[in-house]
Amino acid sequence: MTNFEVIIYQKQDGIGYVTLNRPQALNAYNLQMRDELYQVLGAIKDDPEIKVAIFRGAGERAFCAGADLTEFLTAPSPVVARQVRWERDVWGLFLSITKPLIAALHGYVLGSGIEIALCCDIRLASEDAQFGLPELGLGIIPAAGATQTLPRIIGRASALESLLTGRWITAKEAHRLKLVNQVVSRADLLPVAERLARRIRDYDPIVVSYAKQAINRGLDLNLEQGLELEAKLSGFFNGQSELRHPC
Ligand code: COA
Protein backbone atom coordinates (compact mmCIF):
# COMPACT_ATOMS: atom_id res chain seq x y z
CA MET A 1 0.00 0.00 0.00
CA THR A 2 1.32 3.45 -0.91
CA ASN A 3 -0.07 6.26 1.19
CA PHE A 4 0.12 9.71 -0.23
CA GLU A 5 -1.50 12.59 1.61
CA VAL A 6 -4.85 12.63 -0.15
CA ILE A 7 -4.89 9.39 -2.13
CA ILE A 8 -4.57 5.80 -0.98
CA TYR A 9 -3.11 3.45 -3.57
CA GLN A 10 -3.24 -0.29 -2.99
CA LYS A 11 -2.28 -3.22 -5.17
CA GLN A 12 -3.83 -6.59 -4.63
CA ASP A 13 -3.91 -9.65 -6.88
CA GLY A 14 -3.43 -7.67 -10.08
CA ILE A 15 -5.99 -5.01 -9.17
CA GLY A 16 -5.05 -1.40 -8.35
CA TYR A 17 -7.27 0.39 -5.83
CA VAL A 18 -7.26 4.18 -5.95
CA THR A 19 -9.12 5.91 -3.13
CA LEU A 20 -9.62 9.69 -3.14
CA ASN A 21 -9.01 10.39 0.51
CA ARG A 22 -10.14 13.79 1.77
CA PRO A 23 -13.45 12.72 3.31
CA GLN A 24 -13.58 15.83 5.52
CA ALA A 25 -13.83 17.91 2.30
CA LEU A 26 -16.01 15.38 0.45
CA ASN A 27 -12.89 14.29 -1.48
CA ALA A 28 -12.72 17.63 -3.30
CA TYR A 29 -10.03 17.61 -5.98
CA ASN A 30 -7.17 19.90 -4.95
CA LEU A 31 -3.66 20.49 -6.30
CA GLN A 32 -2.21 17.89 -3.96
CA MET A 33 -4.69 15.35 -5.27
CA ARG A 34 -3.81 16.27 -8.85
CA ASP A 35 -0.11 15.68 -8.17
CA GLU A 36 -0.69 12.40 -6.36
CA LEU A 37 -3.18 11.17 -8.95
CA TYR A 38 -0.62 11.89 -11.64
CA GLN A 39 1.87 9.59 -9.88
CA VAL A 40 -0.70 6.89 -9.26
CA LEU A 41 -1.92 6.93 -12.87
CA GLY A 42 1.68 6.63 -14.05
CA ALA A 43 2.11 3.60 -11.77
CA ILE A 44 -1.07 1.97 -13.09
CA LYS A 45 0.01 2.58 -16.65
CA ASP A 46 3.55 1.24 -16.25
CA ASP A 47 3.25 -1.52 -13.65
CA PRO A 48 2.83 -4.87 -15.44
CA GLU A 49 1.42 -6.40 -12.24
CA ILE A 50 -1.64 -4.13 -12.48
CA LYS A 51 -4.23 -5.47 -14.91
CA VAL A 52 -7.20 -3.30 -13.98
CA ALA A 53 -7.93 -0.51 -11.49
CA ILE A 54 -10.85 0.56 -9.31
CA PHE A 55 -11.41 4.23 -8.36
CA ARG A 56 -13.49 5.13 -5.32
CA GLY A 57 -13.97 7.81 -2.69
CA ALA A 58 -13.22 7.57 1.04
CA GLY A 59 -15.91 8.22 3.64
CA GLU A 60 -19.65 7.89 3.64
CA ARG A 61 -20.71 10.99 1.76
CA ALA A 62 -18.94 11.44 -1.56
CA PHE A 63 -16.91 10.03 -4.38
CA CYS A 64 -15.74 13.60 -5.08
CA ALA A 65 -17.49 16.97 -4.68
CA GLY A 66 -15.55 18.57 -7.53
CA ALA A 67 -12.67 20.99 -7.61
CA ASP A 68 -11.58 22.33 -4.24
CA LEU A 69 -13.38 25.64 -3.95
CA THR A 70 -10.86 26.98 -1.46
CA GLU A 71 -8.18 26.79 -4.16
CA PHE A 72 -10.56 27.88 -6.83
CA LEU A 73 -9.00 29.95 -9.60
CA THR A 74 -6.00 30.74 -7.42
CA ALA A 75 -3.40 30.04 -10.12
CA PRO A 76 -1.15 33.09 -10.39
CA SER A 77 -1.80 33.66 -14.07
CA PRO A 78 -3.27 31.86 -17.07
CA VAL A 79 0.26 31.41 -18.41
CA VAL A 80 1.45 29.62 -15.28
CA ALA A 81 -1.78 27.61 -15.12
CA ARG A 82 -1.26 26.44 -18.68
CA GLN A 83 2.38 25.55 -18.01
CA VAL A 84 1.34 23.50 -14.97
CA ARG A 85 -1.30 21.79 -17.08
CA TRP A 86 1.30 20.74 -19.65
CA GLU A 87 3.61 19.46 -16.96
CA ARG A 88 0.87 17.56 -15.20
CA ASP A 89 -1.66 16.55 -17.82
CA VAL A 90 -3.58 14.24 -15.50
CA TRP A 91 -6.53 13.94 -17.87
CA GLY A 92 -4.39 13.14 -20.90
CA LEU A 93 -2.56 10.52 -18.83
CA PHE A 94 -5.88 9.08 -17.58
CA LEU A 95 -7.23 8.69 -21.11
CA SER A 96 -3.97 7.20 -22.40
CA ILE A 97 -4.16 4.20 -20.05
CA THR A 98 -5.05 1.10 -22.04
CA LYS A 99 -5.87 -1.01 -18.98
CA PRO A 100 -9.53 -1.09 -17.95
CA LEU A 101 -10.53 1.37 -15.24
CA ILE A 102 -13.64 0.99 -13.11
CA ALA A 103 -15.26 3.84 -11.14
CA ALA A 104 -17.23 2.88 -8.02
CA LEU A 105 -19.33 5.97 -7.30
CA HIS A 106 -21.28 6.89 -4.18
CA GLY A 107 -22.73 10.04 -2.67
CA TYR A 108 -21.76 13.31 -4.34
CA VAL A 109 -20.20 12.95 -7.77
CA LEU A 110 -19.80 16.56 -8.88
CA GLY A 111 -17.67 18.48 -11.37
CA SER A 112 -14.22 16.88 -11.50
CA GLY A 113 -15.77 13.88 -9.74
CA ILE A 114 -17.84 13.18 -12.86
CA GLU A 115 -14.80 13.93 -15.00
CA ILE A 116 -12.69 11.32 -13.18
CA ALA A 117 -15.54 8.83 -13.61
CA LEU A 118 -15.75 9.66 -17.32
CA CYS A 119 -12.06 8.80 -17.73
CA CYS A 120 -12.94 5.29 -16.53
CA ASP A 121 -14.38 2.58 -18.75
CA ILE A 122 -17.06 1.14 -16.49
CA ARG A 123 -19.02 3.22 -14.01
CA LEU A 124 -20.94 1.67 -11.13
CA ALA A 125 -23.09 3.79 -8.85
CA SER A 126 -24.65 3.11 -5.49
CA GLU A 127 -28.30 4.06 -5.08
CA ASP A 128 -27.40 7.21 -3.11
CA ALA A 129 -25.12 8.67 -5.80
CA GLN A 130 -25.96 12.18 -7.04
CA PHE A 131 -24.37 13.64 -10.15
CA GLY A 132 -23.99 17.27 -11.15
CA LEU A 133 -21.90 19.70 -13.15
CA PRO A 134 -21.92 22.97 -11.14
CA GLU A 135 -19.27 24.69 -13.29
CA LEU A 136 -21.47 27.18 -15.15
CA GLY A 137 -22.87 28.44 -11.84
CA LEU A 138 -19.28 29.19 -10.85
CA GLY A 139 -18.68 31.13 -14.06
CA ILE A 140 -16.44 28.54 -15.73
CA ILE A 141 -16.72 25.56 -18.04
CA PRO A 142 -15.36 22.10 -17.20
CA ALA A 143 -11.64 21.78 -17.86
CA ALA A 144 -10.99 18.13 -17.15
CA GLY A 145 -12.55 16.81 -20.30
CA ALA A 146 -16.28 16.70 -19.53
CA THR A 147 -17.31 18.80 -22.53
CA GLN A 148 -15.79 16.07 -24.70
CA THR A 149 -16.12 12.90 -22.65
CA LEU A 150 -19.70 13.42 -21.43
CA PRO A 151 -21.38 13.74 -24.87
CA ARG A 152 -19.43 10.71 -26.05
CA ILE A 153 -21.02 8.70 -23.23
CA ILE A 154 -24.55 10.11 -22.87
CA GLY A 155 -25.04 11.90 -26.20
CA ARG A 156 -25.11 15.53 -27.18
CA ALA A 157 -28.58 16.54 -25.98
CA SER A 158 -28.29 15.01 -22.50
CA ALA A 159 -24.75 16.36 -22.08
CA LEU A 160 -25.89 19.85 -23.05
CA GLU A 161 -28.84 19.67 -20.69
CA SER A 162 -26.68 18.50 -17.78
CA LEU A 163 -24.05 21.15 -18.34
CA LEU A 164 -26.26 24.09 -19.28
CA THR A 165 -28.80 23.63 -16.48
CA GLY A 166 -26.46 22.28 -13.79
CA ARG A 167 -29.38 20.10 -12.71
CA TRP A 168 -28.36 17.26 -10.42
CA ILE A 169 -29.37 13.77 -11.37
CA THR A 170 -29.97 10.67 -9.30
CA ALA A 171 -28.28 7.30 -9.74
CA LYS A 172 -31.46 5.97 -11.34
CA GLU A 173 -31.50 8.75 -13.93
CA ALA A 174 -27.76 8.39 -14.48
CA HIS A 175 -28.42 4.76 -15.33
CA ARG A 176 -31.23 5.68 -17.70
CA LEU A 177 -28.87 8.15 -19.44
CA LYS A 178 -26.19 5.41 -19.62
CA LEU A 179 -23.83 7.58 -17.57
CA VAL A 180 -23.43 4.57 -15.29
CA ASN A 181 -23.48 0.91 -16.27
CA GLN A 182 -25.17 -0.37 -13.12
CA VAL A 183 -26.78 0.87 -9.94
CA VAL A 184 -26.26 -1.31 -6.89
CA SER A 185 -26.78 -1.01 -3.16
CA ARG A 186 -24.08 0.78 -1.22
CA ALA A 187 -23.03 -2.48 0.40
CA ASP A 188 -22.63 -4.11 -3.01
CA LEU A 189 -20.69 -1.28 -4.65
CA LEU A 190 -17.15 -2.50 -3.98
CA PRO A 191 -17.95 -6.24 -4.22
CA VAL A 192 -19.56 -5.74 -7.64
CA ALA A 193 -16.62 -3.59 -8.81
CA GLU A 194 -14.20 -6.27 -7.59
CA ARG A 195 -16.16 -9.03 -9.30
CA LEU A 196 -15.89 -7.19 -12.62
CA ALA A 197 -12.24 -6.38 -12.01
CA ARG A 198 -11.34 -10.01 -11.23
CA ARG A 199 -13.08 -11.21 -14.37
CA ILE A 200 -11.17 -8.70 -16.52
CA ARG A 201 -7.91 -9.42 -14.69
CA ASP A 202 -8.11 -13.11 -15.59
CA TYR A 203 -8.10 -12.43 -19.34
CA ASP A 204 -4.94 -11.99 -21.37
CA PRO A 205 -3.89 -8.37 -20.61
CA ILE A 206 -2.83 -7.71 -24.21
CA VAL A 207 -6.17 -8.85 -25.59
CA VAL A 208 -7.93 -6.71 -22.98
CA SER A 209 -5.85 -3.68 -23.87
CA TYR A 210 -6.51 -4.11 -27.60
CA ALA A 211 -10.24 -4.54 -27.00
CA LYS A 212 -10.34 -1.32 -24.97
CA GLN A 213 -8.36 0.56 -27.59
CA ALA A 214 -10.45 -0.78 -30.47
CA ILE A 215 -13.62 0.59 -28.90
CA ASN A 216 -12.31 3.82 -27.36
CA ARG A 217 -10.10 4.91 -30.25
CA GLY A 218 -12.55 3.57 -32.83
CA LEU A 219 -15.36 5.79 -31.56
CA ASP A 220 -13.38 8.84 -32.63
CA LEU A 221 -13.00 7.49 -36.17
CA ASN A 222 -15.45 6.94 -38.99
CA LEU A 223 -16.65 3.35 -39.52
CA GLU A 224 -14.17 2.59 -42.27
CA GLN A 225 -11.23 3.85 -40.23
CA GLY A 226 -12.60 2.09 -37.16
CA LEU A 227 -12.71 -1.21 -39.01
CA GLU A 228 -9.15 -0.64 -40.18
CA LEU A 229 -8.11 -0.07 -36.58
CA GLU A 230 -9.86 -3.30 -35.54
CA ALA A 231 -8.17 -5.20 -38.37
CA LYS A 232 -4.81 -3.78 -37.38
CA LEU A 233 -5.22 -4.62 -33.69
CA SER A 234 -6.61 -8.11 -34.33
CA GLY A 235 -3.90 -8.65 -36.96
CA PHE A 236 -1.24 -8.47 -34.25
CA PHE A 237 -2.38 -11.90 -33.12
CA ASN A 238 -2.29 -13.52 -36.56
CA GLY A 239 -0.15 -16.59 -36.71
CA GLN A 240 0.22 -16.74 -32.94
CA SER A 241 -2.70 -18.95 -32.06
CA GLU A 242 -6.05 -20.00 -33.47
CA LEU A 243 -7.59 -19.37 -30.09
CA ARG A 244 -6.27 -15.84 -29.97
CA HIS A 245 -7.78 -15.03 -33.34
CA PRO A 246 -10.86 -17.20 -33.63
CA CYS A 247 -12.59 -15.12 -36.34
N1 COA B 1 -14.17 22.23 -2.21
C1 COA B 1 -13.72 22.38 -0.95
N2 COA B 1 -14.40 21.95 0.13
C2 COA B 1 -15.57 21.34 -0.07
C3 COA B 1 -16.10 21.14 -1.36
C4 COA B 1 -15.34 21.61 -2.47
N3 COA B 1 -15.74 21.44 -3.72
N4 COA B 1 -17.29 20.51 -1.27
C5 COA B 1 -17.50 20.33 0.05
N5 COA B 1 -16.47 20.82 0.77
C6 COA B 1 -16.30 20.82 2.23
C7 COA B 1 -17.19 21.86 2.88
O1 COA B 1 -16.58 23.12 2.86
C8 COA B 1 -17.35 21.29 4.27
O2 COA B 1 -16.18 21.57 5.00
P1 COA B 1 -16.29 22.05 6.54
O3 COA B 1 -16.94 20.89 7.25
O4 COA B 1 -14.87 22.29 6.93
O5 COA B 1 -17.15 23.27 6.53
C9 COA B 1 -17.36 19.78 4.04
O6 COA B 1 -16.78 19.58 2.75
C10 COA B 1 -18.77 19.20 4.00
O7 COA B 1 -19.51 19.93 3.05
P2 COA B 1 -20.90 20.66 3.40
O8 COA B 1 -21.10 21.76 2.39
O9 COA B 1 -20.95 21.03 4.84
O10 COA B 1 -21.91 19.46 3.16
P3 COA B 1 -23.42 19.61 2.67
O11 COA B 1 -24.01 18.25 2.80
O12 COA B 1 -24.10 20.73 3.36
O13 COA B 1 -23.32 19.98 1.12
C11 COA B 1 -22.54 19.83 -1.13
C12 COA B 1 -22.71 19.11 0.22
C13 COA B 1 -21.76 18.89 -2.04
C14 COA B 1 -23.90 20.15 -1.71
C15 COA B 1 -21.76 21.15 -0.93
O14 COA B 1 -20.61 20.85 -0.13
C16 COA B 1 -21.30 21.78 -2.20
O15 COA B 1 -22.10 22.37 -2.89
N6 COA B 1 -19.98 21.69 -2.50
C17 COA B 1 -19.41 22.37 -3.65
C18 COA B 1 -19.67 21.62 -4.93
C19 COA B 1 -19.02 22.36 -6.06
O16 COA B 1 -19.46 23.39 -6.50
N7 COA B 1 -17.87 21.81 -6.55
C20 COA B 1 -17.08 22.46 -7.54
C21 COA B 1 -17.34 21.85 -8.86
S1 COA B 1 -16.42 22.64 -10.16
Side-chain angles (χ1 to χ4, degrees), residues 90-197:
V90 171
W91 312 104
L93 178 56
F94 229 130
L95 293 170
S96 73
I97 294 174
T98 59
K99 298 171 185 178
L101 308 176
I102 298 171
L105 309 166
H106 76 283
Y108 297 112
V109 187
L110 305 175
S112 345
I114 291 193
E115 294 182 294
I116 290 172
L118 286 165
C119 289
C120 295
D121 305 296
I122 298 172
R123 283 164 290 282
L124 306 174
S126 60
E127 290 151 342
D128 65 340
Q130 299 183 70
F131 299 81
L133 288 168
E135 280 86 347
L136 267 63
L138 297 164
I140 54 168
I141 69 167
T147 62
Q148 303 308 305
T149 50
L150 188 64
R152 281 168 168 76
I153 303 289
I154 68 173
R156 182 197 303 224
S158 297
L160 279 166
E161 186 189 337
S162 302
L163 182 58
L164 297 180
T165 66
R167 183 173 70 81
W168 287 24
I169 62 174
T170 60
K172 204 168 159 191
E173 191 175 354
H175 187 232
R176 190 178 59 72
L177 290 173
K178 300 190 165 52
L179 176 58
V180 299
N181 297 67
Q182 277 187 58
V183 179
V184 298
S185 72
R186 182 69 164 272
D188 284 339
L189 186 60
L190 186 59
V192 171
E194 287 182 309
R195 206 157 50 232
L196 293 176

Side-chain angles (χ1 to χ4, degrees), residues 22-29 61-62 64-72 108 110-113 115 130 132-136 138 140 142 168:
R22 299 183 71 212
Q24 72 290 352
L26 305 183
N27 302 319
Y29 182 82
R61 302 191 56 210
C64 171
D68 189 312
L69 294 174
T70 63
E71 290 181 347
F72 197 61
Y108 297 112
L110 305 175
S112 345
E115 294 182 294
Q130 299 183 70
L133 288 168
E135 280 86 347
L136 267 63
L138 297 164
I140 54 168
W168 287 24

